[in-house]
Amino acid sequence: MSTNHNRIKVADLETNQQNKILTTNSAGELEFTDINTIQVDSYNALNYTAEGKVLDARQGKVLKDLVDNISVPLASDSETQITAGVAEDRKVVSRLKLFNWWTFIKTQSQSITGLWTFKDQITLTNSSYTRYPMHIPEGVLLTIPVNGAIETDRKGIYYTINGVRKNLVTESIVETTEIQNAHVYLWGNGTVGVREDIHPLLTNLKVFNDYISDQAGRYSIYMSGVMTRMNKSVTDVKFELQMLISNSNTPTTWYTLSTYEDTRENIIAATLPQQITLSAELLVQVISTKYVFITGRASKSTSESYFKAKTKNLNTSHPHPKKAEMLVSFRIKTTTNWNEVSDTQDINTSFGLLKMIKI
């Protein structure tokens, strides 16, 4: 453009005419042009892609009609509810077909290979002569037991609790309780000689309510603790795991199930900390409709004379007693012998687990 002609008179700017626009003519000179005479370079087709072309009203109307009357192919139920892969057909699944698909999926047998975690409850169907509600295939057991795991092999079905795996076909876990406050911490009381201390564990529980039998049952009881201190003021110590049945005819009699007893010399020689284990097997038997007997010795004997020789008659208040109705309490009785006056903490033993297993 020649700058010699890019000038416009002031008088031309003061004409005050409407709909005028400043343009350059073919010679590159500035001049006013009526806006209605401006030519727009347009192309009346929707497939044109050259830069600078303008969409006119006719093309806009075509686009609007396409949007208003858009139609996509919808997949049918038979095309949606498929069990094998198909070629891509670009069909759309509507909300109704999606709902119908989910209803269809829930009726099909599925093999889930991923790890699914259910955050809510699972309800299985009832069993019938031809259908079982759940099937756990036979396999091999975990190398390291995992709490809560259910496993099977050719010998049985297993459940793990507190790190203990038990075969539910031959044995069952009746009660496993983590004891939080069974700390046998003994302080010197300024005297010498023998003293006894009591530490309650569980009170008035129906621990024999395994529902396998109302008349008889064999149980394994296990109590575990750790001794971390035994000072020279104490020469020997004895721990007793004891049981009481509060609704028997001897509601205040405690029976010793298991005993751990040793001297300080032997305990210190074995070094601390040292594990303290109290365990026993119980045989609970209803001899008739009147008596319940308990022995700390594992036996299959069912004679009344055998049981009377082992423990006292534990006649419950119920006219037709069942072992499941017995209210059982457990405690640890600690007996220590002090050979010198002390006012410090000289015995530290913490019991953390009480376990009963039906065998």
Side-chain angles (χ1 to χ4, degrees):
M1 179 188 301
S2 174
T3 57
N4 295 330
H5 305 289
N6 284 337
R7 302 290 186 271
I8 191 168
K9 297 177 181 180
V10 175
D12 293 336
L13 295 174
E14 295 176 348
T15 57
N16 197 25
Q17 294 178 342
Q18 296 181 346
N19 299 323
K20 298 293 183 179
I21 188 170
L22 190 62
T23 62
T24 57
N25 58 24
S26 59
E29 299 171 340
L30 291 172
E31 61 182 7
F32 284 101
T33 304
D34 191 294
I35 194 171
N36 294 320
T37 64
I38 299 293
Q39 298 295 319
V40 178
D41 189 7
S42 62
Y43 181 77
N44 192 24
L46 296 178
N47 62 349
Y48 200 77
T49 58
E51 182 180 359
K53 302 301 180 181
V54 180
L55 180 70
D56 67 12
R58 292 170 299 171
Q59 294 169 309
K61 181 61 168 62
V62 172
L63 288 177
K64 183 178 184 304
D65 290 341
L66 288 174
V67 173
D68 291 344
N69 300 308
I70 189 170
S71 177
V72 295
L74 297 177
S76 64
D77 282 330
S78 61
E79 292 173 323
T80 303
Q81 299 170 14
I82 56 179
T83 57
V86 297
E88 175 61 60
D89 55 12
R90 299 184 181 276
K91 291 188 177 181
V92 177
V93 178
S94 67
R95 290 192 299 166
L96 174 60
K97 302 307 179 185
L98 181 61
F99 177 83
N100 294 342
W101 170 83
W102 178 239
T103 303
F104 162 77
I105 283 295
K106 291 186 292 183
T107 65
Q108 304 301 300
S109 298
Q110 304 292 334
S111 179
I112 308 300
T113 58
L115 178 62
W116 284 26
T117 300
F118 295 90
K119 298 297 186 179
D120 208 338
Q121 67 183 24
I122 300 176
T123 302
L124 303 177
T125 186
N126 58 305
S127 60
S128 68
Y129 291 112
T130 59
R131 179 182 61 196
Y132 44 79
M134 182 174 67
H135 176 226
I136 303 178
E138 177 185 309
V140 296
L141 303 183
L142 293 170
T143 303
I144 301 176
V146 176
N147 288 336
I150 300 175
E151 310 165 81
T152 61
D153 63 10
R154 63 184 183 86
K155 296 181 180 179
I157 181 170
Y158 304 84
Y159 180 71
T160 300
I161 183 171
N162 284 331
V164 179
R165 177 195 286 130
K166 289 298 173 182
N167 189 336
L168 299 183
V169 174
T170 59
E171 56 188 1
S172 59
I173 298 175
V174 179
E175 184 74 30
T176 298
T177 304
E178 292 188 11
I179 307 298
Q180 302 297 332
N181 58 352
H183 303 303
V184 182
Y185 294 168
L186 303 183
W187 294 69
N189 59 7
T191 63
V192 296
V194 177
R195 72 183 243 195
E196 295 180 349
D197 295 272
I198 302 298
H199 294 82
L201 299 175
L202 302 173
T203 303
N204 286 344
L205 295 182
K206 295 182 178 181
V207 297
F208 299 124
N209 58 344
D210 49 86
Y211 304 111
I212 298 176
S213 169
D214 289 334
Q215 285 73 40
R218 295 178 61 196
Y219 303 88
S220 173
I221 297 180
Y222 175 89
M223 186 75 188
S224 178
V226 177
M227 177 183 287
T228 57
R229 176 184 299 175
M230 186 174 183
N231 290 343
K232 63 179 182 178
S233 301
V234 183
T235 59
D236 50 79
V237 61
K238 179 169 70 174
F239 298 104
E240 297 175 76
L241 176 60
Q242 297 185 323
M243 180 183 71
L244 173 142
I245 301 178
S246 60
N247 58 346
S248 71
N249 69 337
T250 54
T252 60
T253 302
W254 288 87
Y255 295 92
T256 297
L257 305 178
S258 179
T259 301
Y260 173 94
E261 184 175 10
D262 210 340
T263 64
R264 179 181 182 275
E265 182 180 0
N266 290 337
I267 293 174
I268 297 301
T271 70
L272 296 177
Q274 183 168 327
Q275 183 174 1
I276 307 298
T277 301
L278 299 170
S279 62
E281 288 191 2
L282 297 181
L283 178 57
V284 181
Q285 179 74 54
V286 179
I287 297 300
S288 63
T289 59
K290 184 178 180 182
Y291 302 116
V292 175
F293 297 92
I294 293 182
T295 176
R297 176 181 176 185
S299 172
K300 294 183 179 180
S301 173
T302 57
S303 66
E304 185 171 342
S305 60
Y306 174 85
F307 287 96
K308 282 187 174 180
K310 299 301 178 184
T311 63
K312 293 183 178 180
N313 179 356
L314 302 180
N315 177 215
T316 65
S317 58
H318 197 284
H320 302 288
K322 298 178 181 179
K323 64 183 178 65
E325 297 167 350
M326 293 191 294
L327 297 177
V328 181
S329 300
F330 293 100
R331 74 180 188 182
I332 293 178
K333 177 183 176 182
T334 306
T335 304
T336 49
N337 190 7
W338 300 69
N339 68 344
E340 62 182 52
V341 175
S342 172
D343 58 359
T344 60
Q345 188 182 84
D346 293 314
I347 289 282
N348 279 9
T349 306
S350 296
F351 291 91
L353 179 67
L354 176 63
K355 178 175 60 182
M356 176 179 289
I357 299 174
K358 176 71 174 64
I359 58 177

